[in-house]
Amino acid sequence: MEKKTGAQILVESLLRENVEIVFGIPGGQALPMFDAIYGSKLNFILTRHEQGASHMADGYARSTGKSGVCIVTSGPGATNIVTGLGTAYMDSVPLVAITGQVATSVIGQDAFQEADTIGITRPVTKHNFLVKDVKDLARTIKEAFYIATTGRPGPVLVDIPIDVQRGLCEFVYPHKVEIRSYKPNYSGHTGQIKKAVSMINKSERPVLYIGAGVVVSEAEDEILKMSRKANIPVTNTLLAIGTYPHDTDLSLGMLGMHGTFCANRAIQAADVVIAVGARFDDRCTGRVCDFAKKAKIIHIDIDPTAISKVVDVDIPVVGDAKTVLKEMSALIEKKGRKEWIKTVDAWKEEHPLSYNRNDDKLHPQYVVEKISELTKGEAIVSTEVGQHQMWAAQYYKAKYPRLFLSSGGLGTMGFGYPAALGAKVGNPDKEVIVIAGDGSFQMNMQEMAVSVLNEINVKVVILNNQYLGNVRQWQEMFYGKRYSQSCLARRNKCPRLCNEPNRVTCPVYIPDFVKWAQSYDVLGIRVTEKKDVESALKKMLETKGSVVLDVWVEMEENIFPMVPAGSSLDDVITQMNK
């Protein structure tokens, strides 16, 4: 059998795993790998920053359900993907990151571009490997993909020293993986399932609380059947947007800090909460000791370490959401629960999501509503992080799962644009739109070069308020309007204090996103008035190439409803209380 180099084995292993797209940047300690990629069947997307590569791999994974892959060099190349790994880890996204490393003989000697990649990435990966022998490489790659995509998904890193990349051995790719210490459990315990069903059947005010695990296991149909059969209202997390039909009477919308009034009220009034594939994030629970105090908690999750980690659970069921729900649905009794549904409907009417639709101001919520309306909720929307993210979550009505991509757990500014590029590569026939803030977008806007050179046509809508908007809102509400370092306009010329009364002609606004887009030969459009929003969005959607739409929204608009950090879900600040 012909011997192959470690670099060749890597490429062949990726092809055996049906990898088609790889994102990354070459460097000295990764050159043998990149030389092996040259002329191979892998489609390599050269990014402009390693962080961009990790987010592109993430966006590809979230939107397709397949594992994303990125390859970078050692030292700064590896450390630059740490934020991307942390983002994927917090949100349970399957990703395999491959890093070059200095030769095994000099590891630990502070060699040029050496970093302890294994030590640095251990807290932000599901698992990581340092390959010290080329004979172990093929098996390690097989294990990496297996770990990344099974059980609760997550990022796995493989660190490959340059001498291992150059080493020779026969290539044998294993057909299956057997890891004694890692055996995900997909079938729930029958006794626990029966206990859970009994509790649900006896309940009068149940609520289904669904998270990203429902998306991963593709259990949306099972959730829909159970909720309709037993008349159980459903609330979702940020990462489960699109998983449950927003236009059904049983949909409560998102819960938590910027969730709907009715979702938060329902959780607090419930007598049983059925959490499925959700991890009780603090942005969902509010003050934990006050979360769903009247309710018994059933928790269905494939990750046993998530059970009772945050909230004490009465009935745990460890297993795959789809598998467990199928078994539960057969045992769930049909129920009317008219009084409970009537109460929930009253909360919806009392405080619906709203803003002033009748004035001429350019509200950011209006822009998102128009995007949702014009795309019929069928476009993939990727968000950056900040106020715009929450407005997108509230007003973009995603029709299906995997159409709303957002950094939930880590809250990574700079995620949205590169993630959208990854999503477009994985879904070339879908419309992909970035909803960004002017602050977040500037963190990875250099990836526009990747979009143009590879003809990855993505539409960018910047809700431009010249602030780090979320920070500014907190400073307004809790720090006496002391806007310390949250204004993105020219220093000492904050628009609130500027003598120039016309924002459109005020000289302090930088950058000019329209001119910046044009420098990449991309269409740039600026909108400053509400009456021009719809026509600009239609032009953007009709354009075949990439577009940057710079929308100058109200500068001090706030997100409501809001549960202040550390408060109970009962302490909802609605728009009426502003």
Side-chain angles (χ1 to χ4, degrees):
M1 187 178 293
E2 181 185 357
K3 290 186 177 181
K4 295 180 181 289
T5 66
Q8 291 170 331
I9 288 170
L10 170 65
V11 171
E12 187 62 34
S13 298
L14 293 177
L15 292 172
R16 294 287 182 93
E17 290 293 329
N18 298 315
V19 174
E20 298 174 345
I21 310 291
V22 181
F23 307 91
I25 300 179
Q29 305 301 333
L31 283 178
M33 293 189 287
F34 280 86
D35 188 57
I37 289 169
Y38 185 83
S40 74
K41 294 181 181 179
L42 289 177
N43 180 3
F44 194 92
I45 304 293
L46 175 64
T47 66
R48 293 304 180 266
H49 192 288
E50 288 89 355
Q51 184 181 349
S54 60
H55 291 326
M56 287 181 206
D58 183 315
Y60 174 89
R62 290 184 199 234
S63 62
T64 65
K66 304 174 185 177
S67 178
V69 180
C70 61
I71 302 178
V72 300
T73 192
S74 65
T79 59
N80 278 344
I81 66 168
V82 170
T83 299
L85 293 174
T87 302
Y89 180 71
M90 292 285 280
D91 291 350
S92 303
V93 178
L95 192 154
V96 174
I98 297 160
T99 54
Q101 183 57 276
V102 299
T104 55
S105 60
V106 297
I107 289 177
Q109 297 180 20
D110 293 333
F112 178 68
Q113 290 197 330
E114 180 189 359
D116 179 9
T117 304
I118 294 298
I120 291 168
T121 62
R122 186 170 287 120
V124 293
T125 54
K126 186 176 177 183
H127 193 67
N128 59 18
F129 298 89
L130 172 61
V131 184
K132 295 181 179 179
D133 190 325
V134 68
K135 295 177 182 177
D136 299 328
L137 183 55
R139 175 182 53 80
T140 301
I141 296 300
K142 183 71 175 178
E143 289 182 358
F145 278 90
Y146 174 68
I147 293 169
T149 56
T150 56
R152 179 179 177 175
V156 176
L157 180 135
V158 182
D159 199 29
I160 311 176
I162 193 167
D163 56 319
V164 174
Q165 297 171 43
R166 291 170 175 157
L168 291 167
C169 78
E170 294 179 351
F171 174 63
V172 178
Y173 201 65
H175 295 293
K176 63 179 182 178
V177 171
E178 187 72 26
I179 303 173
R180 188 172 63 179
S181 60
Y182 177 69
K183 295 186 182 296
N185 179 42
Y186 285 82
S187 299
H189 188 280
T190 302
Q192 292 297 96
I193 289 174
K194 288 181 177 178
K195 287 180 183 178
V197 169
S198 176
M199 181 177 285
I200 295 168
N201 287 339
K202 292 175 183 176
S203 68
E204 296 180 356
R205 303 183 306 280
V207 172
L208 271 160
Y209 155 44
I210 64 174
V214 176
V215 179
V216 171
S217 67
E218 298 180 344
E220 58 271 17
D221 288 343
E222 284 68 29
I223 290 289
L224 184 61
K225 289 175 184 176
M226 179 187 287
S227 66
R228 286 179 172 174
K229 182 178 181 181
N231 268 306
I232 304 175
V234 180
T235 183
N236 58 268
T237 66
L238 177 73
L239 299 184
I241 287 174
T243 305
Y244 192 80
H246 62 85
D247 54 356
T248 178
D249 290 342
L250 293 171
S251 174
L252 301 173
M254 186 175 71
L255 82 161
M257 178 173 281
H258 293 297
T260 65
F261 181 88
C262 64
N264 289 335
R265 278 288 185 266
I267 282 286
Q268 295 301 84
D271 58 0
V272 172
V273 172
I274 310 115
V276 187
R279 62 184 181 87
F280 297 91
D281 173 64
D282 60 280
R283 286 290 172 108
C284 289
T285 65
R287 189 164 57 232
V288 174
C289 63
D290 289 332
F291 177 78
K293 289 178 70 173
K294 300 175 182 177
K296 297 290 186 181
I297 308 291
I298 298 167
H299 191 184
I300 303 166
D301 205 292
I302 200 165
D303 180 7
T305 68
I307 304 291
S308 293
K309 183 177 181 179
V310 177
V311 172
D312 288 335
V313 172
D314 296 284
I315 301 178
V317 183
V318 177
D320 172 66
K322 189 180 186 75
T323 304
V324 172
L325 289 171
K326 275 186 176 180
E327 191 171 343
M328 289 180 69
S329 292
L331 304 173
I332 291 286
E333 296 174 357
K334 288 185 179 181
K335 295 281 186 177
R337 296 190 168 96
K338 292 181 180 179
E339 287 302 314
W340 179 223
I341 302 303
K342 182 179 178 181
T343 300
V344 168
D345 287 343
W347 286 326
K348 289 180 182 180
E349 291 182 16
E350 184 181 350
H351 288 297
L353 288 175
S354 64
Y355 64 95
N356 191 342
R357 291 178 169 85
N358 299 319
D359 62 20
D360 293 326
K361 294 180 179 179
L362 212 174
H363 296 283
Q365 301 94 321
Y366 174 77
V367 180
V368 178
E369 276 190 329
K370 280 298 173 185
I371 293 172
S372 187
E373 176 187 318
L374 294 172
T375 63
K376 300 178 181 179
E378 295 180 354
I380 295 175
V381 163
S382 178
T383 80
E384 295 289 351
V385 169
Q387 285 182 310
H388 63 276
Q389 176 189 30
M390 293 298 102
W391 287 316
Q394 291 175 338
Y395 291 95
Y396 184 73
K397 305 302 182 183
K399 197 169 183 178
Y400 307 110
R402 299 193 184 280
L403 294 184
F404 188 86
L405 315 180
S406 199
S407 172
L410 200 60
T412 306
M413 293 174 70
F415 165 84
Y417 182 52
L421 296 178
K424 183 65 174 180
V425 170
N427 303 268
D429 297 329
K430 285 189 179 291
E431 189 74 75
V432 179
I433 300 172
V434 184
I435 296 180
D438 50 313
S440 278
F441 185 63
Q442 292 183 68
M443 291 197 169
N444 273 313
M445 62 195 284
Q446 76 283 340
E447 303 303 334
M448 180 63 74
V450 179
S451 171
V452 173
L453 293 174
N454 293 279
E455 297 183 347
I456 307 171
N457 298 321
V458 165
K459 309 301 193 292
V460 181
V461 179
I462 302 172
L463 302 182
N464 188 341
N465 59 12
Q466 285 295 318
Y467 279 106
L468 298 173
N470 227 8
V471 176
R472 186 213 56 76
Q473 177 170 338
W474 283 49
Q475 288 173 333
E476 175 187 338
M477 296 179 69
F478 309 117
Y479 293 88
K481 291 191 175 183
R482 294 184 292 278
Y483 296 160
S484 177
Q485 309 307 316
S486 56
C487 180
L488 297 173
R490 225 169 249 154
R491 190 177 181 183
N492 298 327
K493 288 191 176 181
C494 175
R496 296 184 68 252
L497 305 175
C498 183
N499 292 324
E500 171 57 62
N502 186 355
R503 183 183 181 202
V504 177
T505 59
C506 183
V508 302
Y509 298 98
I510 52 176
D512 185 325
F513 288 111
V514 171
K515 290 180 180 177
W516 173 82
Q518 291 169 348
S519 74
Y520 284 92
D521 200 24
V522 166
L523 175 63
I525 305 170
R526 177 172 294 119
V527 175
T528 60
E529 295 186 44
K530 180 180 180 179
K531 64 181 178 63
D532 298 324
V533 168
E534 186 167 354
S535 61
L537 286 171
K538 286 180 178 178
K539 184 176 182 179
M540 177 189 82
L541 293 171
E542 291 166 359
T543 302
K544 291 184 178 180
S546 292
V547 178
V548 174
L549 184 60
D550 182 21
V551 187
W552 287 23
V553 297
E554 283 295 296
M555 299 179 71
E556 293 185 281
E557 189 87 18
N558 287 337
I559 320 162
F560 291 104
M562 180 180 182
V563 177
S567 298
S568 163
L569 294 185
D570 292 312
D571 302 326
V572 181
I573 301 174
T574 68
Q575 195 129 4
M576 300 296 292
N577 302 128
K578 182 180 175 182

